Amino acid sequence: MDILAKIAEEKIKQAMENGEFDHLPGKGKPLELEDLSHVPEDLRAGYKLLKNAGVIPEEMQLQKEMISLQNLIDCCYDEEQKTRLKKTLNEKRLRFQFLMERRNMASSAAWSAYRHKILGKF
């Protein structure tokens, strides 16, 4: 162990003895670790930044909207409104297909492996 690690260990032990860690938020609760193994290393920082900011990729937003529209269609009794909703849903589906083709997601091994998990989140 090098000198810096020893100094750090001593500081941590001293802080523990002084009770400086006793009232931290989340004490006694398990850490929520994120599995970023499916994200390439060079993109992880950007991914984390966007996720923390509440920004999701356009295709994920479209999927959420498509699911909501389908739920509205399923509950709708007015045929005129149902027709408008179906038209909007078809437009979203076309936009989604265009995005997937443009990003070549269909041939992506990561997309194939995690597609069902991602869709399951919605």
Side-chain angles (χ1 to χ4, degrees):
M1 194 181 284
D2 66 342
I3 188 78
L4 291 176
K6 284 185 180 186
I7 293 172
E9 278 295 317
E10 285 301 315
K11 292 278 186 186
I12 292 170
K13 284 180 186 177
Q14 192 175 28
M16 287 173 62
E17 289 171 4
N18 294 339
E20 295 178 33
F21 299 131
D22 289 346
H23 303 291
L24 293 175
K27 181 183 178 201
K29 297 178 185 172
L31 293 175
E32 291 182 26
L33 300 176
E34 295 180 8
D35 178 21
L36 298 178
S37 61
H38 64 283
V39 179
E41 273 188 49
D42 57 329
L43 299 177
R44 287 181 187 166
Y47 175 86
K48 189 109 166 125
L49 182 71
L50 290 173
K51 185 176 182 222
N52 289 343
V55 177
I56 61 172
E58 185 179 359
E59 63 270 13
M60 294 293 113
Q61 181 63 38
L62 282 169
Q63 285 184 322
K64 286 174 76 173
E65 291 172 8
M66 289 187 302
I67 290 168
S68 296
L69 283 168
Q70 187 60 58
N71 289 338
L72 285 172
I73 290 168
D74 293 343
C75 297
C76 185
Y77 295 110
D78 181 14
E79 289 302 319
E80 186 178 314
Q81 187 176 7
K82 193 180 260 192
T83 303
R84 283 195 308 267
L85 290 170
K86 285 181 180 179
K87 181 181 181 217
T88 305
L89 178 60
N90 287 333
E91 291 169 357
K92 301 275 183 196
R93 285 181 178 157
L94 287 172
R95 176 71 181 149
F96 180 77
Q97 288 174 349
F98 172 74
L99 283 172
M100 293 297 101
E101 288 171 7
R102 194 175 89 204
R103 294 182 183 168
N104 200 17
M105 293 292 277
S107 63
S108 167
W111 173 252
S112 299
Y114 289 98
R115 182 179 190 275
H116 67 281
K117 290 181 182 178
I118 292 169
L119 295 176
K121 294 269 184 185
F122 297 112

PDB file of all heavy atoms in Angstrom, residues 100-101 103-109 111-112:
ATOM      1  N   MET A 100     -34.688   3.790 -36.250  1.00  0.00           N
ATOM      2  CA  MET A 100     -34.002   2.507 -36.086  1.00  0.00           C
ATOM      3  C   MET A 100     -33.178   2.168 -37.326  1.00  0.00           C
ATOM      4  O   MET A 100     -32.043   1.699 -37.219  1.00  0.00           O
ATOM      5  CB  MET A 100     -34.990   1.375 -35.809  1.00  0.00           C
ATOM      6  CG  MET A 100     -35.687   1.470 -34.480  1.00  0.00           C
ATOM      7  SD  MET A 100     -34.571   1.350 -33.076  1.00  0.00           S
ATOM      8  CE  MET A 100     -34.400   3.041 -32.600  1.00  0.00           C
ATOM      9  N   GLU A 101     -33.737   2.437 -38.498  1.00  0.00           N
ATOM     10  CA  GLU A 101     -32.982   2.179 -39.738  1.00  0.00           C
ATOM     11  C   GLU A 101     -31.790   3.112 -39.840  1.00  0.00           C
ATOM     12  O   GLU A 101     -30.697   2.698 -40.218  1.00  0.00           O
ATOM     13  CB  GLU A 101     -33.902   2.353 -40.950  1.00  0.00           C
ATOM     14  CG  GLU A 101     -34.921   1.239 -41.087  1.00  0.00           C
ATOM     15  CD  GLU A 101     -35.956   1.514 -42.156  1.00  0.00           C
ATOM     16  OE1 GLU A 101     -35.810   2.523 -42.898  1.00  0.00           O
ATOM     17  OE2 GLU A 101     -36.908   0.738 -42.255  1.00  0.00           O
ATOM     18  N   ARG A 103     -30.120   4.515 -37.470  1.00  0.00           N
ATOM     19  CA  ARG A 103     -29.105   4.177 -36.473  1.00  0.00           C
ATOM     20  C   ARG A 103     -28.626   2.736 -36.610  1.00  0.00           C
ATOM     21  O   ARG A 103     -27.804   2.285 -35.826  1.00  0.00           O
ATOM     22  CB  ARG A 103     -29.658   4.401 -35.071  1.00  0.00           C
ATOM     23  CG  ARG A 103     -29.915   5.872 -34.848  1.00  0.00           C
ATOM     24  CD  ARG A 103     -30.400   6.156 -33.495  1.00  0.00           C
ATOM     25  NE  ARG A 103     -30.683   7.598 -33.420  1.00  0.00           N
ATOM     26  CZ  ARG A 103     -31.325   8.159 -32.456  1.00  0.00           C
ATOM     27  NH1 ARG A 103     -31.758   7.437 -31.455  1.00  0.00           N
ATOM     28  NH2 ARG A 103     -31.553   9.454 -32.458  1.00  0.00           N
ATOM     29  N   ASN A 104     -29.187   2.030 -37.581  1.00  0.00           N
ATOM     30  CA  ASN A 104     -28.805   0.647 -37.864  1.00  0.00           C
ATOM     31  C   ASN A 104     -28.932  -0.223 -36.616  1.00  0.00           C
ATOM     32  O   ASN A 104     -28.108  -1.081 -36.348  1.00  0.00           O
ATOM     33  CB  ASN A 104     -27.387   0.572 -38.434  1.00  0.00           C
ATOM     34  CG  ASN A 104     -27.145  -0.725 -39.171  1.00  0.00           C
ATOM     35  OD1 ASN A 104     -28.086  -1.423 -39.538  1.00  0.00           O
ATOM     36  ND2 ASN A 104     -25.898  -1.056 -39.397  1.00  0.00           N
ATOM     37  N   MET A 105     -29.998   0.018 -35.867  1.00  0.00           N
ATOM     38  CA  MET A 105     -30.206  -0.710 -34.624  1.00  0.00           C
ATOM     39  C   MET A 105     -30.609  -2.162 -34.869  1.00  0.00           C
ATOM     40  O   MET A 105     -30.373  -3.012 -34.029  1.00  0.00           O
ATOM     41  CB  MET A 105     -31.287  -0.034 -33.776  1.00  0.00           C
ATOM     42  CG  MET A 105     -30.884   1.316 -33.251  1.00  0.00           C
ATOM     43  SD  MET A 105     -29.578   1.225 -32.039  1.00  0.00           S
ATOM     44  CE  MET A 105     -30.501   0.863 -30.587  1.00  0.00           C
ATOM     45  N   ALA A 106     -31.218  -2.435 -36.016  1.00  0.00           N
ATOM     46  CA  ALA A 106     -31.694  -3.796 -36.273  1.00  0.00           C
ATOM     47  C   ALA A 106     -30.549  -4.797 -36.265  1.00  0.00           C
ATOM     48  O   ALA A 106     -30.709  -5.935 -35.849  1.00  0.00           O
ATOM     49  CB  ALA A 106     -32.433  -3.838 -37.601  1.00  0.00           C
ATOM     50  N   SER A 107     -29.363  -4.382 -36.703  1.00  0.00           N
ATOM     51  CA  SER A 107     -28.230  -5.305 -36.749  1.00  0.00           C
ATOM     52  C   SER A 107     -27.338  -5.197 -35.514  1.00  0.00           C
ATOM     53  O   SER A 107     -26.335  -5.885 -35.421  1.00  0.00           O
ATOM     54  CB  SER A 107     -27.401  -5.035 -38.003  1.00  0.00           C
ATOM     55  OG  SER A 107     -26.852  -3.734 -37.947  1.00  0.00           O
ATOM     56  N   SER A 108     -27.711  -4.359 -34.567  1.00  0.00           N
ATOM     57  CA  SER A 108     -26.916  -4.173 -33.362  1.00  0.00           C
ATOM     58  C   SER A 108     -27.116  -5.345 -32.409  1.00  0.00           C
ATOM     59  O   SER A 108     -28.238  -5.673 -32.021  1.00  0.00           O
ATOM     60  CB  SER A 108     -27.322  -2.871 -32.669  1.00  0.00           C
ATOM     61  OG  SER A 108     -26.791  -2.810 -31.378  1.00  0.00           O
ATOM     62  N   ALA A 109     -26.019  -5.951 -31.994  1.00  0.00           N
ATOM     63  CA  ALA A 109     -26.092  -7.067 -31.050  1.00  0.00           C
ATOM     64  C   ALA A 109     -26.620  -6.598 -29.694  1.00  0.00           C
ATOM     65  O   ALA A 109     -27.399  -7.301 -29.048  1.00  0.00           O
ATOM     66  CB  ALA A 109     -24.722  -7.706 -30.895  1.00  0.00           C
ATOM     67  N   TRP A 111     -28.669  -4.084 -29.107  1.00  0.00           N
ATOM     68  CA  TRP A 111     -30.109  -3.840 -29.221  1.00  0.00           C
ATOM     69  C   TRP A 111     -30.875  -5.154 -29.186  1.00  0.00           C
ATOM     70  O   TRP A 111     -31.877  -5.282 -28.492  1.00  0.00           O
ATOM     71  CB  TRP A 111     -30.423  -3.072 -30.493  1.00  0.00           C
ATOM     72  CG  TRP A 111     -31.890  -2.930 -30.748  1.00  0.00           C
ATOM     73  CD1 TRP A 111     -32.628  -3.557 -31.689  1.00  0.00           C
ATOM     74  CD2 TRP A 111     -32.824  -2.099 -30.025  1.00  0.00           C
ATOM     75  NE1 TRP A 111     -33.947  -3.180 -31.597  1.00  0.00           N
ATOM     76  CE2 TRP A 111     -34.087  -2.288 -30.595  1.00  0.00           C
ATOM     77  CE3 TRP A 111     -32.697  -1.228 -28.951  1.00  0.00           C
ATOM     78  CZ2 TRP A 111     -35.229  -1.634 -30.135  1.00  0.00           C
ATOM     79  CZ3 TRP A 111     -33.842  -0.582 -28.505  1.00  0.00           C
ATOM     80  CH2 TRP A 111     -35.077  -0.783 -29.089  1.00  0.00           C
ATOM     81  N   SER A 112     -30.385  -6.145 -29.887  1.00  0.00           N
ATOM     82  CA  SER A 112     -31.055  -7.445 -29.904  1.00  0.00           C
ATOM     83  C   SER A 112     -31.086  -8.069 -28.514  1.00  0.00           C
ATOM     84  O   SER A 112     -32.094  -8.642 -28.103  1.00  0.00           O
ATOM     85  CB  SER A 112     -30.345  -8.390 -30.875  1.00  0.00           C
ATOM     86  OG  SER A 112     -30.371  -7.867 -32.175  1.00  0.00           O
TER      87      SER A 112
END
